[in-house]
Amino acid sequence: MEEIRVKAASREYDVLVGEGAISEQLPRLVSGREAGQVVVVSHPHLLSLHGEELGSALCDAGHVAWEKRVFLFPEGEEHKRPVTVIALQELMLEWGVTRKGVVLAFGGGVVGDLTGYAAATYMRGMDYIQLPTTLVAMVDSSVGGKVGVDMPGAKNAVGAFHQPLAVIADPGLLSTLPRRELLGGMAEVIKYGFLYDERLLTLEGGSEGWVRLTEWERAEIIARCVRHKAAVVEKDERDLAGERAMLNYGHTFGHALEAATGYVTLRHGEAVAVGMIMAARAAEDAGKARVPLLELHRKLLSPLLQEAPSLEGIDAQKVIDAMRSDKKREREAKFVLLERPQRPLLVEGLPEEVVKRAVEETLGDLWPENS
Ligand SMILES: NC(=O)c1ccc[n+]([C@@H]2O[C@H](COP(=O)([O-])OP(=O)(O)OC[C@H]3O[C@@H](n4cnc5c(N)ncnc54)[C@H](O)[C@@H]3O)[C@@H](O)[C@H]2O)c1
């Protein structure tokens, strides 16, 4: 079992990574809670796949009636909305859940972000535990306490910083994750590689290498990513000092692409993969790159897009406009670019023509019908 301590200013907690981690670690974390005070949040399909493992861990901790405190909502980014949070919180009130309760977020980033936000605002803040089930959630979204929901046209526009009580990541759960989701998660792994860790750029077989890794190697890679994230969160929990902003490598372009395609066409990781290729192109074009970057980005990231739908016919201007109206306006002017791998820079005032060329040429390159 890999144990990583996240020393955030507001709370310290462990991220526990390993096969069987939920059965092994969850019982001790919930055993002291009163009956009826442990709430599970998930999707119906996910609970039908892995509910047994979760249920037996809860029963081991004495919560034999756990199924009476389950809130399920449909899959998809379109349900990461305030209305879902309100439905959950209304139910928790009806169940008599108090601030001493704990909510378990059993799912990907959508479940984690939404549950964390519900926990942050229920009775002015209660505990929650992240039980990530996707690669994106294991290596990134479950750690660091950024929680929130989307508003129409504005992703993550309403949220909070609320650190979990613990994160338990069991890579065994990824065996049922659709291949497209796994490839999307690799974009976040490769992001850590470009920012901090050469080893993550040299996985045998590139982005598809994951599929061939052993369980032990998978746990090791997840733990490596979590260690990088923990180090950043330790220095800059609230994203004020510029350190945490580095984790947005590929995200300024990626979020704009997600917005321009209505948040449903691309998986989050796919949008970030395209965003990193755009950022590499912009770094070269703006003279920030000290070594060639584009080819390496293309080689590692374009295979992730093999199952993404074609963006043929997308209007590049729509992507650029979406960047302008990004809610994080201060980030609009700031791009994370690389001088070289593992040497990120926060760049302000990137010329508009550079941004435009990066978007147009990347879309034309990946989907030649657009050129
Ligand atoms: N808070 C943060 O710091 C942060 C960081 C990155 C991303 N995010 C957010 O995370 C979200 C994306 O998360 P995601 O990529 O995990 O997507 P997701 O949560 O939508 O999950 C993807 C799909 O996989 C299914 N699934 C999950 N686990 C499964 C499993 N083990 N087996 C089979 N199916 C499974 C889900 O039901 C869903 O349909 C976005 O909303 C993004 O904004 C947040």
Side-chain angles (χ1 to χ4, degrees):
M1 187 77 48
E2 302 265 4
E3 280 188 36
I4 301 113
R5 188 84 178 152
V6 183
K7 295 179 183 160
S10 65
R11 168 182 253 172
E12 286 195 19
Y13 55 98
D14 289 323
V15 182
L16 305 154
V17 186
E19 213 186 338
I22 292 184
S23 327
E24 212 175 286
Q25 303 289 335
L26 185 61
R28 81 182 159 80
L29 288 166
V30 295
S31 61
R33 308 274 169 170
E34 268 177 45
Q37 294 292 321
V38 179
V39 174
V40 173
V41 179
S42 191
H43 301 306
H45 178 58
L46 207 46
L47 209 64
S48 70
L49 286 173
H50 298 293
E52 227 168 275
E53 285 145 86
L54 177 64
S56 69
L58 291 173
C59 289
D60 285 352
H63 296 284
V64 287
W66 69 277
E67 281 174 291
K68 291 187 181 160
R69 295 286 182 270
V70 175
F71 175 81
L72 300 175
F73 69 97
E75 306 183 4
E77 186 73 30
E78 65 275 29
H79 298 286
K80 199 178 109 178
R81 286 293 177 96
V83 67
T84 316
V85 173
I86 291 167
L88 165 60
Q89 292 177 329
E90 278 180 354
L91 209 52
M92 292 206 297
L93 278 173
E94 215 173 278
W95 287 335
V97 175
T98 69
R99 287 183 68 192
K100 291 188 180 159
V102 61
V103 196
L104 309 182
F106 188 62
V110 164
V111 169
D113 282 11
L114 180 133
T115 307
Y117 180 60
T121 51
Y122 187 76
M123 303 208 170
R124 300 199 178 85
M126 67 183 292
D127 285 341
Y128 73 110
I129 296 174
Q130 292 273 17
L131 305 174
T133 64
T134 64
L135 187 54
V136 166
M138 289 187 192
V139 300
D140 193 2
S141 65
S142 65
V143 180
K146 273 193 184 179
V147 295
V149 291
D150 304 333
M151 299 293 270
K155 196 169 149 79
N156 299 325
V158 172
F161 287 93
H162 187 51
Q163 301 294 342
L165 184 65
V167 181
I168 309 178
D170 179 349
L173 297 178
L174 300 176
S175 61
T176 54
L177 192 66
R179 185 180 158 76
R180 187 176 166 199
E181 301 294 342
L182 205 53
L183 292 175
M186 281 307 295
E188 298 284 357
V189 173
I190 290 171
K191 179 190 83 177
Y192 287 110
F194 277 126
L195 289 173
Y196 310 114
D197 193 339
E198 182 64 27
R199 153 96 173 99
L200 297 174
L201 298 181
T202 55
L203 288 182
E204 205 188 324
S207 50
E208 291 209 53
W210 179 271
V211 183
R212 291 192 288 275
L213 296 174
T214 63
E215 289 293 346
W216 186 85
E217 290 167 320
R218 289 178 178 200
E220 194 235 321
I221 284 165
I222 293 166
R224 260 186 119 90
C225 295
V226 170
R227 264 186 218 107
H228 292 303
K229 181 134 189 196
V232 170
V233 170
E234 196 170 325
K235 287 188 216 141
D236 185 18
E237 179 182 8
R238 295 211 153 226
D239 206 353
L240 296 171
E243 285 284 339
R244 195 161 179 173
M246 295 299 181
L247 295 175
N248 283 325
Y249 186 48
H251 284 59
T252 309
F253 287 109
H255 279 166
L257 198 58
E258 283 184 289
T261 52
Y263 296 104
V264 285
T265 311
L266 292 179
R267 303 298 308 131
H268 177 71
E270 292 167 346
V272 172
V274 179
M276 285 190 276
I277 298 176
M278 289 175 177
R281 203 180 281 271
E284 288 190 358
D285 194 7
K288 301 287 180 192
R290 303 259 176 101
V291 296
L293 293 172
L294 185 58
E295 266 324 297
L296 181 62
H297 278 68
R298 271 201 193 123
K299 178 171 148 246
L300 292 175
L301 296 166
S302 18
L304 298 179
L305 300 166
Q306 59 191 241
E307 295 191 23
S310 164
L311 292 191
E312 183 186 352
I314 185 174
D315 182 357
Q317 191 56 45
K318 231 174 136 182
V319 181
I320 295 158
D321 292 345
M323 234 175 290
R324 280 205 199 96
S325 64
D326 193 318
K327 71 170 202 313
K328 298 167 185 164
R329 287 204 171 270
E330 81 271 26
R331 262 192 215 142
E332 187 192 352
K334 288 183 192 165
F335 285 82
V336 181
L337 300 182
L338 298 181
E339 268 184 358
R340 61 180 74 233
Q342 296 94 47
R343 192 75 70 80
L345 291 173
L346 205 53
V347 176
E348 286 185 53
L350 197 60
E352 196 151 335
E353 326 75 82
V354 170
V355 174
K356 191 164 185 284
R357 275 198 295 273
V359 172
E360 284 175 352
E361 288 174 15
T362 304
L363 292 175
D365 182 26
L366 292 171
W367 293 280
E369 308 82 357
N370 290 320
S371 48

